[in-house]
Amino acid sequence: AALEGGVVELEKLLARTGQGATGTGFFLALLVSVFASPGIGIGCMIIAAVSFGWFTLVHYFLVRGQHIKTLRIISPLWEVSLASMVLLVLVWTEGPVYSLGSWVPPELFVIFVAASILRLQKSLPALLGVLAAAQYGTIYLLVIYPALENPSLLHDPRMQLVRICSLVLGGLACSA
């Protein structure tokens, strides 16, 4: 019971951290929309606003002791999916070449997979690594690759397979 109480406190802290990160992300996205790319900025502001709402709802339920087991499963899935949402914003606003060249989505995937270690669920990082790889691969095959006009080595399916395998192996390494 004491360990379970500690886990709930940790989840509350992660929800608050998510609120802070998405609040900061909203502000940064606003700056991007004003000074760099309105499309990327507005898309990321929407993601940040929805995510802030998500983390607020998670914290609300955790404080009241409701849906704890469900939230411990769904929250990390939402978090790793944020990287896919950003990837889609980049594809739709800047194009497929830019989206593949950006380091932001891969770094977000890695951050969320590695941060899942904090949840003290041994298999969770491996699951998130597989989910991240599946999301990235699906977006590449269904959205990015068909839109490429002059693919280079970076855009080649074999290079993207390396990225996909790296996400899986990263998740497995974090679970070890």
Side-chain angles (χ1 to χ4, degrees):
L3 181 59
E4 186 63 30
V7 169
V8 171
E9 289 304 312
L10 175 64
E11 289 291 341
K12 288 181 199 174
L13 177 62
L14 292 172
R16 284 289 189 212
T17 302
Q19 286 176 311
T22 54
T24 302
F26 185 90
F27 177 72
L28 292 174
L30 177 63
L31 293 176
V32 168
S33 72
V34 171
F35 296 110
S37 171
I40 292 174
I42 292 168
C44 289
M45 284 169 56
I46 292 168
I47 292 168
V50 171
S51 296
F52 184 86
W54 167 257
F55 289 118
T56 300
L57 187 65
V58 167
H59 189 267
Y60 172 85
F61 284 128
L62 290 171
V63 166
R64 283 152 187 77
Q66 299 172 330
H67 312 295
I68 293 170
K69 289 182 181 181
T70 304
L71 291 171
R72 290 196 69 215
I73 295 168
I74 295 174
S75 287
L77 300 178
W78 171 264
E79 292 162 12
V80 82
S81 297
L82 291 172
S84 294
M85 293 178 216
V86 171
L87 179 60
L88 286 169
V89 165
L90 294 178
V91 173
W92 292 330
T93 60
E94 301 298 320
V97 173
Y98 185 94
S99 68
L100 288 177
S102 174
W103 282 71
V104 174
E107 287 180 358
L108 288 174
F109 279 125
V110 170
I111 287 168
F112 290 123
V113 170
S116 70
I117 293 170
L118 296 173
R119 288 195 156 92
L120 304 175
Q121 297 173 345
K122 187 164 176 60
S123 60
L124 183 61
L127 171 69
L128 294 182
V130 169
L131 178 63
Q135 288 178 357
Y136 184 86
T138 301
I139 292 169
Y140 174 75
L141 288 174
L142 299 180
V143 180
I144 297 173
Y145 189 71
L148 290 170
E149 294 176 15
N150 297 315
S152 69
L153 178 60
L154 173 65
H155 313 124
D156 188 80
R158 293 171 294 180
M159 180 63 76
Q160 302 314 310
L161 185 59
V162 169
R163 286 183 172 185
I164 291 165
C165 290
S166 296
L167 290 170
V168 172
L169 291 174
L172 291 172
C174 289
S175 284

